[in-house]
Amino acid sequence: MRVPKLRSAASRTPARLPGLTFGSVSSLLSVALWAAFWILALLTLATLILFIVMAFVPMGPMGLTATSDDGGTSVPVPRAYILFGIGAFAGYFGGFTLILRHLRRIVNTLRIGDPFEPANTGRLRQIGIILAVVTGGAWLGQSLVSRLVRGALEAPGLFDLVTPAFSVLVVFVLAEVFKEGARLRRESELTI
């Protein structure tokens, strides 16, 4: 009769979650996050290069032509407005690139069967902070642009922040859930 060996808590590997094999939802999600990450990273790089070119390469005056039933009107657009817009897009794309980077790392821990890794708590908190900054920045940018074009664009209201603020809260709650999951996992590893 064989007696099963008892392994110490330190030598135990986390149990793999069922269904996390090749072709599973997490694998497809990992591929989708990888593709979205690189698309946004390239868009961020392109907007940064465009920003640098627009900032340092001398160019002629730029104008925006608005057409209507009675003809067209050419409105000069200051270089600062264009740089502000390009910079805003670079920040927006860059923020979501960072969010996708953290999501990819979280999904990778899920794929190896260890989603309650303590680092995921920090990743979720960083996602929440980035999401709050990007959302607040986009709202402020829309407010500024609506004031600059004076009536051509409606200013965003505070109600426009309800859904993004709720999303940020959900991410912070998930971070606390992952923190508690990591604590419970640590306790279970210490018990025999």
Side-chain angles (χ1 to χ4, degrees):
M1 179 172 155
R2 297 179 104 181
V3 176
K5 289 184 181 179
L6 292 176
R7 295 187 302 185
S8 69
S11 68
R12 277 191 277 173
T13 58
R16 293 187 63 85
L17 297 175
L20 297 180
T21 59
F22 181 76
S24 69
V25 173
S26 64
S27 295
L28 295 174
L29 187 59
S30 180
V31 171
L33 287 172
W34 179 86
F37 170 79
W38 284 108
I39 289 169
L40 278 176
L42 291 173
L43 280 172
T44 303
L45 181 63
T47 54
L48 286 174
I49 290 170
L50 182 61
F51 182 85
I52 291 169
V53 167
M54 293 292 294
F56 296 110
V57 174
M59 296 181 162
M62 296 184 185
L64 177 67
T65 303
T67 58
S68 62
D69 293 336
D70 60 354
T73 306
S74 181
V75 179
V77 179
R79 186 184 203 83
Y81 290 2
I82 295 171
L83 288 175
F84 173 77
I86 294 171
F89 275 112
Y92 195 76
F93 293 147
F96 281 107
T97 302
L98 289 175
I99 288 173
L100 287 173
R101 178 176 166 249
H102 290 308
L103 284 176
R104 285 180 60 206
R105 290 181 176 179
I106 291 170
V107 168
N108 283 339
T109 62
L110 177 66
R111 289 185 67 206
I112 63 171
D114 191 16
F116 293 110
E117 177 180 302
N120 283 347
T121 301
R123 290 177 184 135
L124 282 169
R125 286 184 183 147
Q126 289 174 2
I127 287 172
I129 291 169
I130 294 167
L131 191 57
V133 168
V134 167
T135 300
W139 188 83
L140 284 173
Q142 287 175 351
S143 297
L144 287 173
V145 169
S146 69
R147 289 180 191 258
L148 293 174
V149 295
R150 296 187 185 109
L153 181 69
E154 186 177 328
L158 286 177
F159 187 73
D160 294 331
L161 288 176
V162 171
T163 302
F166 183 74
S167 301
V168 170
L169 286 175
V170 167
V171 171
F172 280 118
V173 167
L174 283 174
E176 291 305 309
V177 168
F178 271 72
K179 180 180 176 183
E180 184 64 16
R183 185 189 67 77
L184 290 173
R185 186 193 75 173
R186 204 172 35 248
E187 284 180 6
S188 72
E189 288 175 349
L190 295 176
T191 59
I192 295 178

Short mmCIF file of all heavy atoms in Angstrom, two decimals, residues 12-57:
data_model
loop_
_atom_site.label_atom_id
_atom_site.label_comp_id
_atom_site.label_asym_id
_atom_site.label_seq_id
_atom_site.Cartn_x
_atom_site.Cartn_y
_atom_site.Cartn_z
N ARG A 12 3.68 23.74 -3.94
CA ARG A 12 2.45 23.54 -4.69
C ARG A 12 2.34 24.56 -5.80
O ARG A 12 2.65 25.72 -5.62
CB ARG A 12 1.24 23.68 -3.79
CG ARG A 12 0.93 22.42 -3.05
CD ARG A 12 -0.39 22.53 -2.41
NE ARG A 12 -0.20 23.24 -1.14
CZ ARG A 12 -1.16 23.63 -0.36
NH1 ARG A 12 -2.41 23.44 -0.70
NH2 ARG A 12 -0.91 24.25 0.77
N THR A 13 1.87 24.10 -6.93
CA THR A 13 1.56 25.02 -8.03
C THR A 13 0.07 25.25 -8.02
O THR A 13 -0.70 24.35 -7.66
CB THR A 13 2.01 24.46 -9.39
OG1 THR A 13 1.35 23.22 -9.59
CG2 THR A 13 3.51 24.28 -9.45
N PRO A 14 -0.37 26.41 -8.43
CA PRO A 14 -1.81 26.66 -8.43
C PRO A 14 -2.52 25.74 -9.41
O PRO A 14 -1.99 25.41 -10.47
CB PRO A 14 -1.93 28.12 -8.87
CG PRO A 14 -0.62 28.50 -9.43
CD PRO A 14 0.39 27.55 -8.91
N ALA A 15 -3.70 25.30 -9.01
CA ALA A 15 -4.47 24.42 -9.87
C ALA A 15 -4.92 25.17 -11.11
O ALA A 15 -5.30 26.33 -11.03
CB ALA A 15 -5.68 23.88 -9.11
N ARG A 16 -4.84 24.49 -12.24
CA ARG A 16 -5.28 25.13 -13.49
C ARG A 16 -6.79 25.19 -13.50
O ARG A 16 -7.47 24.27 -13.10
CB ARG A 16 -4.76 24.37 -14.69
CG ARG A 16 -3.26 24.45 -14.81
CD ARG A 16 -2.77 23.83 -16.10
NE ARG A 16 -3.25 24.50 -17.27
CZ ARG A 16 -2.69 25.57 -17.83
NH1 ARG A 16 -1.64 26.11 -17.27
NH2 ARG A 16 -3.17 26.10 -18.92
N LEU A 17 -7.28 26.30 -13.99
CA LEU A 17 -8.71 26.45 -14.11
C LEU A 17 -9.20 25.65 -15.31
O LEU A 17 -8.52 25.57 -16.33
CB LEU A 17 -9.08 27.92 -14.26
CG LEU A 17 -8.72 28.80 -13.07
CD1 LEU A 17 -9.02 30.25 -13.39
CD2 LEU A 17 -9.48 28.38 -11.84
N PRO A 18 -10.39 25.07 -15.23
CA PRO A 18 -10.88 24.28 -16.36
C PRO A 18 -11.21 25.16 -17.55
O PRO A 18 -11.63 26.30 -17.40
CB PRO A 18 -12.15 23.63 -15.79
CG PRO A 18 -12.57 24.50 -14.66
CD PRO A 18 -11.30 25.10 -14.11
N GLY A 19 -11.00 24.61 -18.72
CA GLY A 19 -11.39 25.31 -19.94
C GLY A 19 -10.40 26.33 -20.44
O GLY A 19 -10.68 27.04 -21.39
N LEU A 20 -9.22 26.42 -19.84
CA LEU A 20 -8.24 27.41 -20.28
C LEU A 20 -7.19 26.74 -21.15
O LEU A 20 -6.02 26.70 -20.83
CB LEU A 20 -7.60 28.12 -19.09
CG LEU A 20 -8.57 28.92 -18.24
CD1 LEU A 20 -7.84 29.58 -17.09
CD2 LEU A 20 -9.28 29.96 -19.07
N THR A 21 -7.62 26.18 -22.23
CA THR A 21 -6.72 25.51 -23.14
C THR A 21 -6.69 26.27 -24.45
O THR A 21 -7.38 27.27 -24.63
CB THR A 21 -7.20 24.07 -23.40
OG1 THR A 21 -8.52 24.13 -23.94
CG2 THR A 21 -7.20 23.26 -22.10
N PHE A 22 -5.92 25.78 -25.37
CA PHE A 22 -5.84 26.40 -26.69
C PHE A 22 -7.23 26.42 -27.31
O PHE A 22 -7.92 25.42 -27.33
CB PHE A 22 -4.86 25.64 -27.58
CG PHE A 22 -4.71 26.24 -28.94
CD1 PHE A 22 -3.96 27.38 -29.10
CD2 PHE A 22 -5.35 25.70 -30.03
CE1 PHE A 22 -3.82 27.96 -30.35
CE2 PHE A 22 -5.22 26.26 -31.28
CZ PHE A 22 -4.45 27.39 -31.43
N GLY A 23 -7.63 27.56 -27.82
CA GLY A 23 -8.94 27.69 -28.42
C GLY A 23 -10.03 28.10 -27.44
O GLY A 23 -11.17 28.23 -27.83
N SER A 24 -9.69 28.25 -26.18
CA SER A 24 -10.70 28.66 -25.22
C SER A 24 -10.96 30.16 -25.34
O SER A 24 -10.29 30.87 -26.08
CB SER A 24 -10.23 28.32 -23.80
OG SER A 24 -9.15 29.15 -23.44
N VAL A 25 -11.94 30.63 -24.59
CA VAL A 25 -12.30 32.05 -24.64
C VAL A 25 -11.12 32.91 -24.20
O VAL A 25 -10.86 33.95 -24.79
CB VAL A 25 -13.54 32.30 -23.74
CG1 VAL A 25 -13.83 33.79 -23.64
CG2 VAL A 25 -14.73 31.56 -24.29
N SER A 26 -10.39 32.47 -23.18
CA SER A 26 -9.25 33.28 -22.73
C SER A 26 -8.15 33.34 -23.78
O SER A 26 -7.47 34.35 -23.91
CB SER A 26 -8.70 32.74 -21.40
OG SER A 26 -8.18 31.45 -21.58
N SER A 27 -7.99 32.28 -24.55
CA SER A 27 -7.00 32.31 -25.63
C SER A 27 -7.42 33.28 -26.72
O SER A 27 -6.60 34.06 -27.22
CB SER A 27 -6.82 30.93 -26.24
OG SER A 27 -6.28 30.04 -25.30
N LEU A 28 -8.70 33.26 -27.08
CA LEU A 28 -9.21 34.20 -28.08
C LEU A 28 -9.11 35.63 -27.57
O LEU A 28 -8.76 36.54 -28.31
CB LEU A 28 -10.65 33.85 -28.44
CG LEU A 28 -10.87 32.51 -29.14
CD1 LEU A 28 -12.36 32.23 -29.32
CD2 LEU A 28 -10.16 32.49 -30.48
N LEU A 29 -9.43 35.82 -26.30
CA LEU A 29 -9.33 37.14 -25.70
C LEU A 29 -7.89 37.62 -25.69
O LEU A 29 -7.62 38.80 -25.95
CB LEU A 29 -9.89 37.10 -24.27
CG LEU A 29 -10.02 38.41 -23.54
CD1 LEU A 29 -10.93 39.37 -24.28
CD2 LEU A 29 -10.56 38.17 -22.14
N SER A 30 -6.97 36.73 -25.43
CA SER A 30 -5.56 37.08 -25.43
C SER A 30 -5.12 37.55 -26.82
O SER A 30 -4.40 38.55 -26.94
CB SER A 30 -4.73 35.87 -24.99
OG SER A 30 -3.36 36.18 -24.99
N VAL A 31 -5.55 36.85 -27.85
CA VAL A 31 -5.20 37.24 -29.22
C VAL A 31 -5.83 38.59 -29.57
O VAL A 31 -5.18 39.47 -30.16
CB VAL A 31 -5.63 36.14 -30.22
CG1 VAL A 31 -5.49 36.62 -31.65
CG2 VAL A 31 -4.81 34.88 -29.99
N ALA A 32 -7.09 38.78 -29.20
CA ALA A 32 -7.77 40.05 -29.49
C ALA A 32 -7.10 41.21 -28.75
O ALA A 32 -6.91 42.29 -29.32
CB ALA A 32 -9.24 39.96 -29.09
N LEU A 33 -6.72 41.00 -27.50
CA LEU A 33 -6.03 42.05 -26.75
C LEU A 33 -4.66 42.34 -27.35
O LEU A 33 -4.23 43.49 -27.38
CB LEU A 33 -5.90 41.66 -25.27
CG LEU A 33 -7.17 41.71 -24.45
CD1 LEU A 33 -6.93 41.11 -23.06
CD2 LEU A 33 -7.69 43.13 -24.33
N TRP A 34 -3.97 41.30 -27.82
CA TRP A 34 -2.66 41.50 -28.44
C TRP A 34 -2.81 42.37 -29.69
O TRP A 34 -2.05 43.33 -29.88
CB TRP A 34 -2.06 40.13 -28.79
CG TRP A 34 -0.73 40.23 -29.47
CD1 TRP A 34 0.49 40.33 -28.88
CD2 TRP A 34 -0.50 40.24 -30.89
NE1 TRP A 34 1.47 40.40 -29.84
CE2 TRP A 34 0.90 40.35 -31.08
CE3 TRP A 34 -1.32 40.17 -32.00
CZ2 TRP A 34 1.48 40.40 -32.34
CZ3 TRP A 34 -0.74 40.21 -33.25
CH2 TRP A 34 0.64 40.32 -33.41
N ALA A 35 -3.79 42.04 -30.54
CA ALA A 35 -3.99 42.80 -31.78
C ALA A 35 -4.40 44.24 -31.47
O ALA A 35 -3.85 45.19 -32.05
CB ALA A 35 -5.05 42.12 -32.64
N ALA A 36 -5.34 44.42 -30.55
CA ALA A 36 -5.79 45.77 -30.20
C ALA A 36 -4.65 46.58 -29.58
O ALA A 36 -4.50 47.78 -29.87
CB ALA A 36 -6.97 45.70 -29.23
N PHE A 37 -3.83 45.93 -28.76
CA PHE A 37 -2.69 46.63 -28.14
C PHE A 37 -1.75 47.18 -29.21
O PHE A 37 -1.36 48.34 -29.17
CB PHE A 37 -1.94 45.67 -27.21
CG PHE A 37 -0.63 46.23 -26.71
CD1 PHE A 37 -0.60 47.14 -25.68
CD2 PHE A 37 0.56 45.85 -27.31
CE1 PHE A 37 0.60 47.66 -25.23
CE2 PHE A 37 1.77 46.36 -26.86
CZ PHE A 37 1.79 47.27 -25.82
N TRP A 38 -1.39 46.34 -30.18
CA TRP A 38 -0.43 46.78 -31.19
C TRP A 38 -1.03 47.81 -32.15
O TRP A 38 -0.33 48.72 -32.59
CB TRP A 38 0.17 45.59 -31.94
CG TRP A 38 1.18 44.92 -31.06
CD1 TRP A 38 1.07 43.72 -30.44
CD2 TRP A 38 2.44 45.46 -30.66
NE1 TRP A 38 2.19 43.47 -29.68
CE2 TRP A 38 3.05 44.52 -29.80
CE3 TRP A 38 3.13 46.63 -30.94
CZ2 TRP A 38 4.30 44.72 -29.22
CZ3 TRP A 38 4.38 46.84 -30.36
CH2 TRP A 38 4.95 45.89 -29.52
N ILE A 39 -2.31 47.69 -32.43
CA ILE A 39 -2.96 48.72 -33.27
C ILE A 39 -2.94 50.06 -32.56
O ILE A 39 -2.56 51.09 -33.14
CB ILE A 39 -4.40 48.29 -33.63
CG1 ILE A 39 -4.37 47.13 -34.62
CG2 ILE A 39 -5.20 49.47 -34.19
CD1 ILE A 39 -5.71 46.46 -34.84
N LEU A 40 -3.31 50.07 -31.27
CA LEU A 40 -3.31 51.32 -30.52
C LEU A 40 -1.89 51.84 -30.28
O LEU A 40 -1.66 53.06 -30.28
CB LEU A 40 -4.04 51.16 -29.19
CG LEU A 40 -5.54 51.27 -29.27
CD1 LEU A 40 -6.19 50.99 -27.93
CD2 LEU A 40 -5.96 52.64 -29.76
N ALA A 41 -0.94 50.94 -30.09
CA ALA A 41 0.45 51.38 -29.91
C ALA A 41 0.96 52.06 -31.18
O ALA A 41 1.62 53.11 -31.11
CB ALA A 41 1.34 50.19 -29.54
N LEU A 42 0.62 51.50 -32.34
CA LEU A 42 1.03 52.12 -33.60
C LEU A 42 0.31 53.45 -33.84
O LEU A 42 0.92 54.41 -34.33
CB LEU A 42 0.79 51.16 -34.77
CG LEU A 42 1.71 49.93 -34.79
CD1 LEU A 42 1.27 48.97 -35.89
CD2 LEU A 42 3.16 50.34 -34.96
N LEU A 43 -0.97 53.52 -33.49
CA LEU A 43 -1.70 54.79 -33.59
C LEU A 43 -1.10 55.85 -32.67
O LEU A 43 -0.99 57.02 -33.05
CB LEU A 43 -3.18 54.58 -33.27
CG LEU A 43 -4.04 54.01 -34.37
CD1 LEU A 43 -5.45 53.69 -33.84
CD2 LEU A 43 -4.13 54.97 -35.54
N THR A 44 -0.73 55.45 -31.48
CA THR A 44 -0.09 56.38 -30.54
C THR A 44 1.22 56.88 -31.11
O THR A 44 1.50 58.09 -31.08
CB THR A 44 0.16 55.70 -29.18
OG1 THR A 44 -1.09 55.21 -28.68
CG2 THR A 44 0.77 56.66 -28.19
N LEU A 45 2.03 55.97 -31.64
CA LEU A 45 3.31 56.36 -32.23
C LEU A 45 3.09 57.30 -33.43
O LEU A 45 3.78 58.32 -33.56
CB LEU A 45 4.08 55.11 -32.67
CG LEU A 45 5.45 55.35 -33.28
CD1 LEU A 45 6.38 55.99 -32.27
CD2 LEU A 45 6.03 54.04 -33.79
N ALA A 46 2.11 57.00 -34.26
CA ALA A 46 1.83 57.85 -35.42
C ALA A 46 1.38 59.24 -35.00
O ALA A 46 1.82 60.24 -35.58
CB ALA A 46 0.76 57.20 -36.30
N THR A 47 0.52 59.32 -33.99
CA THR A 47 0.07 60.65 -33.55
C THR A 47 1.20 61.41 -32.87
O THR A 47 1.28 62.64 -33.01
CB THR A 47 -1.15 60.56 -32.61
OG1 THR A 47 -0.86 59.68 -31.53
CG2 THR A 47 -2.38 60.10 -33.35
N LEU A 48 2.08 60.73 -32.17
CA LEU A 48 3.24 61.42 -31.57
C LEU A 48 4.18 61.95 -32.65
O LEU A 48 4.68 63.07 -32.55
CB LEU A 48 3.99 60.49 -30.62
CG LEU A 48 3.32 60.21 -29.29
CD1 LEU A 48 4.10 59.15 -28.51
CD2 LEU A 48 3.19 61.48 -28.48
N ILE A 49 4.41 61.15 -33.69
CA ILE A 49 5.26 61.61 -34.80
C ILE A 49 4.60 62.80 -35.49
O ILE A 49 5.27 63.80 -35.81
CB ILE A 49 5.53 60.46 -35.78
CG1 ILE A 49 6.45 59.43 -35.13
CG2 ILE A 49 6.13 60.97 -37.09
CD1 ILE A 49 6.62 58.14 -35.91
N LEU A 50 3.29 62.73 -35.73
CA LEU A 50 2.56 63.84 -36.34
C LEU A 50 2.64 65.09 -35.47
O LEU A 50 2.83 66.20 -35.97
CB LEU A 50 1.11 63.45 -36.58
CG LEU A 50 0.23 64.50 -37.27
CD1 LEU A 50 0.77 64.84 -38.66
CD2 LEU A 50 -1.20 63.99 -37.36
N PHE A 51 2.54 64.92 -34.15
CA PHE A 51 2.65 66.05 -33.23
C PHE A 51 4.02 66.70 -33.34
O PHE A 51 4.13 67.93 -33.41
CB PHE A 51 2.40 65.58 -31.79
CG PHE A 51 2.44 66.67 -30.78
CD1 PHE A 51 1.31 67.45 -30.54
CD2 PHE A 51 3.61 66.96 -30.07
CE1 PHE A 51 1.34 68.47 -29.61
CE2 PHE A 51 3.64 67.97 -29.14
CZ PHE A 51 2.50 68.74 -28.91
N ILE A 52 5.07 65.90 -33.37
CA ILE A 52 6.44 66.43 -33.48
C ILE A 52 6.62 67.15 -34.80
O ILE A 52 7.20 68.25 -34.86
CB ILE A 52 7.47 65.30 -33.29
CG1 ILE A 52 7.44 64.81 -31.83
CG2 ILE A 52 8.87 65.76 -33.67
CD1 ILE A 52 8.21 63.54 -31.58
N VAL A 53 6.13 66.55 -35.88
CA VAL A 53 6.25 67.18 -37.20
C VAL A 53 5.50 68.51 -37.21
O VAL A 53 6.03 69.54 -37.66
CB VAL A 53 5.72 66.24 -38.31
CG1 VAL A 53 5.55 66.97 -39.62
CG2 VAL A 53 6.66 65.06 -38.48
N MET A 54 4.28 68.53 -36.69
CA MET A 54 3.48 69.76 -36.67
C MET A 54 4.10 70.82 -35.77
O MET A 54 3.96 72.01 -36.03
CB MET A 54 2.05 69.46 -36.21
CG MET A 54 1.24 68.63 -37.16
SD MET A 54 0.87 69.46 -38.70
CE MET A 54 -0.20 70.75 -38.13
N ALA A 55 4.78 70.40 -34.71
CA ALA A 55 5.35 71.36 -33.77
C ALA A 55 6.64 71.99 -34.30
O ALA A 55 6.90 73.17 -34.04
CB ALA A 55 5.62 70.68 -32.43
N PHE A 56 7.44 71.23 -35.04
CA PHE A 56 8.77 71.72 -35.39
C PHE A 56 9.00 72.01 -36.87
O PHE A 56 9.95 72.68 -37.21
CB PHE A 56 9.83 70.75 -34.88
CG PHE A 56 9.86 70.64 -33.38
CD1 PHE A 56 9.44 69.49 -32.74
CD2 PHE A 56 10.28 71.71 -32.61
CE1 PHE A 56 9.45 69.40 -31.36
CE2 PHE A 56 10.29 71.63 -31.23
CZ PHE A 56 9.87 70.47 -30.61
N VAL A 57 8.16 71.48 -37.73
CA VAL A 57 8.35 71.72 -39.16
C VAL A 57 7.51 72.94 -39.55
O VAL A 57 6.31 72.97 -39.31
CB VAL A 57 7.93 70.48 -39.99
CG1 VAL A 57 7.98 70.78 -41.47
CG2 VAL A 57 8.82 69.30 -39.65
#
